[in-house]
Amino acid sequence: MLEEVAKTIARYSMFQPDQRVGVAVSGGADSVCLLHVLRDLAPRWNLRLTVLHLDHQLRGAESRQDAAFVRDLAAALDLPFELQETDVAALCRETGENLEQAARAARLAFFQRLTQAGTVNRIATGHTRSDQAETVLFRFLRGSGTAGLAGIRPVTGDGIVRPLLEIDRPEIERYLRACGIAWRNDSTNASTAFARNRIRHELLPQLTRDWNPAMAETLAHTADWAQAEETYWESELARLAPAHLSFEPPAVLVQVDPLAALPLAVERRLIRRAIELAKGDLRGV
């Protein structure tokens, strides 16, 4: 486990020597494994770890018990602990977003506050190859293009890294059991009321059983392929966009005839970039 994760860290240059790394720990198996693995690997890069926990305040006493579990874990490992409490349900009511979107926004705001304050330089999260497979399948079913099928990126522009992204969830649980390490189970993860849980507990196991025993690995490879495509297109758009898009905030002006003369794949990418410039993001597009 340690060497596999170390290879992933090195492959994507996730850390530089002497960095301060916030480890996002929910209390679940994946994030608990991440914390223990990074604690063992930290001396290789001389990393200084801080344990981060966001209490979404969605499950009452269970949420408070998760926070206490993570706080005790940080103390047992002699690591600093940062707690953020956010009423995600209230955030949903204010913004009109669903629970998953609001929770994600709360996490990113928490991480951004810590990085901007200089408390940490990097944020490590416990996303696994199993999460990658579920994300790619979910986005495919939703109708995403190549950008969506790129799934969860190993490293993001805002300093988030995923050292466990090439490890499957069952392998993580075997590792924790072998080491005698405890974790907590989020009761909502078993609820099929959420689309992602139906993919995790019903659709993906069925596809694995009836169509492809290596379905999770296949979907993860799809993400790798799509990420390489997206990296190429980012460099191409940096070259092409100035010649075809004129950004005059809040408008983006496009000369239609020169655009129409381009290959369809390039047209689509430039239109997508124009929308992103005008809207500020690509959510819901």
Side-chain angles (χ1 to χ4, degrees):
M1 172 70 76
L2 292 179
E3 293 312 314
E4 283 189 45
V5 175
K7 287 177 184 176
T8 301
I9 291 170
R11 181 178 299 119
Y12 296 104
S13 301
M14 291 184 174
F15 303 127
Q16 298 300 317
D18 303 315
Q19 282 188 317
R20 296 182 297 279
V21 178
V23 186
V25 182
S26 66
D30 300 342
S31 62
V32 168
C33 177
L34 173 68
L35 179 60
H36 281 273
V37 167
L38 287 184
R39 180 174 175 269
D40 289 341
L41 292 175
R44 302 192 188 188
W45 291 272
N46 195 31
L47 304 177
R48 288 165 284 171
L49 306 182
T50 297
V51 179
L52 314 179
H53 181 79
L54 176 65
D55 181 355
H56 299 81
Q57 299 184 335
L58 290 171
R59 292 174 289 116
E62 189 178 342
S63 288
R64 293 190 293 273
Q65 290 162 7
D66 286 347
F69 173 84
V70 177
R71 179 186 287 108
D72 292 345
L73 177 58
L77 298 176
D78 195 26
L79 294 172
F81 176 69
E82 290 276 350
L83 173 66
Q84 171 75 40
E85 295 176 333
T86 301
D87 187 342
V88 171
L91 199 59
C92 285
R93 292 190 293 270
E94 291 171 12
T95 63
E97 295 180 316
N98 63 37
L99 274 177
E100 187 176 11
Q101 291 170 333
R104 181 176 182 275
R107 286 193 298 273
L108 292 177
F110 177 34
F111 298 160
Q112 188 176 49
R113 175 175 68 80
L114 293 171
T115 52
Q116 288 180 346
T119 305
V120 297
N121 309 118
R122 287 283 186 274
I123 304 284
T125 68
H127 291 92
T128 67
R129 184 160 59 181
S130 302
D131 292 309
Q132 183 73 289
E134 294 158 9
T135 299
V136 171
L137 184 54
F138 177 74
R139 292 182 179 178
F140 174 78
L141 294 172
R142 199 175 58 183
S144 293
T146 310
L149 296 183
I152 303 168
R153 294 183 179 273
V155 179
T156 71
D158 50 3
I160 296 175
V161 298
R162 280 83 181 226
L164 300 184
L165 202 54
E166 295 177 347
I167 307 290
D168 291 320
R169 192 174 295 118
E171 185 180 352
I172 283 169
E173 294 189 2
R174 286 194 298 270
Y175 174 81
L176 292 176
R177 289 191 182 99
C179 296
I181 298 171
W183 70 89
R184 288 181 60 80
N185 289 311
D186 182 339
S187 60
T188 62
N189 286 338
S191 170
T192 54
F194 299 99
R196 187 175 290 274
N197 285 350
R198 292 197 296 276
I199 288 173
R200 174 178 298 180
H201 298 301
E202 297 174 2
L203 182 56
L204 192 51
Q206 181 183 5
L207 291 172
T208 302
R209 182 180 63 249
D210 297 343
W211 292 92
N212 182 353
M215 180 58 70
E217 185 176 355
T218 299
L219 290 167
H221 285 163
T222 298
D224 289 341
W225 183 284
Q227 285 171 15
E229 296 285 314
E230 290 306 299
T231 299
Y232 166 78
W233 276 109
E234 280 300 313
S235 61
E236 274 296 280
L237 286 174
R239 181 177 67 85
L240 291 167
H244 295 277
L245 307 179
S246 178
F247 188 29
E248 299 181 11
V252 180
L253 307 182
V254 184
Q255 292 291 337
V256 175
D257 289 342
L259 188 73
L262 296 170
L264 180 59
V266 179
E267 281 187 72
R268 287 172 172 163
R269 292 282 176 164
L270 285 169
I271 292 294
R272 193 167 180 272
R273 176 54 58 88
I275 293 171
E276 183 179 20
L277 289 170
K279 182 176 182 288
D281 57 59
L282 288 165
R283 287 196 297 274
V285 174

